[in-house]
Amino acid sequence: MTDLFTGAICMGSLVIALFFLRFWRNSGDRFFLYFALSFFIEGMHRLYSAVHDAGGEDSPLHYLIRLLAYGLILWAIFEKNLPREKNGR
């Protein structure tokens, strides 16, 4: 049953990554690219965890990967809120 949920979370994360990738292609805003990367990393992490570790997450590597994924989200939000230079457009 755990594999089923892990697979569903992996698939969901990858689908969300594709949606954000499409938003990035349409708008060119890096905010969406960071989110796409974050969800892609999360999906791949779930897949790797299910295949190689049988769902066990005792290693600090799992937390570092999640820290990277969530750090990308935080960076996207931070960068989006940085003041921009005004170029008269």
Side-chain angles (χ1 to χ4, degrees), residues 12 17 23-24 27 29 35 41 47 51 67 72 77 85:
F23 294 147
W24 172 68
S27 69
D29 192 353
F35 268 69
I41 290 170
L47 180 65
V51 171
L67 181 66
L72 281 172
I77 293 169
E85 54 183 79

Side-chain angles (χ1 to χ4, degrees), residues 78-86:
F78 178 73
E79 186 182 81
K80 187 72 174 179
N81 290 308
L82 284 176
R84 299 177 186 199
E85 54 183 79
K86 297 180 181 188

Side-chain angles (χ1 to χ4, degrees), residues 13-26:
S13 295
L14 293 176
V15 168
I16 291 169
L18 289 175
F19 272 107
F20 279 120
L21 199 60
R22 187 178 72 180
F23 294 147
W24 172 68
R25 280 185 40 198
N26 290 340

Side-chain angles (χ1 to χ4, degrees), residues 18-65:
L18 289 175
F19 272 107
F20 279 120
L21 199 60
R22 187 178 72 180
F23 294 147
W24 172 68
R25 280 185 40 198
N26 290 340
S27 69
D29 192 353
R30 285 188 293 182
F31 178 80
F32 297 120
L33 180 63
Y34 288 133
F35 268 69
L37 284 173
S38 175
F39 278 98
F40 181 76
I41 290 170
E42 183 66 22
M44 289 291 105
H45 172 252
R46 295 289 179 175
L47 180 65
Y48 177 81
S49 176
V51 171
H52 290 287
D53 293 342
E57 297 182 354
D58 297 336
S59 168
L61 179 65
H62 295 285
Y63 297 105
L64 289 175
I65 292 171

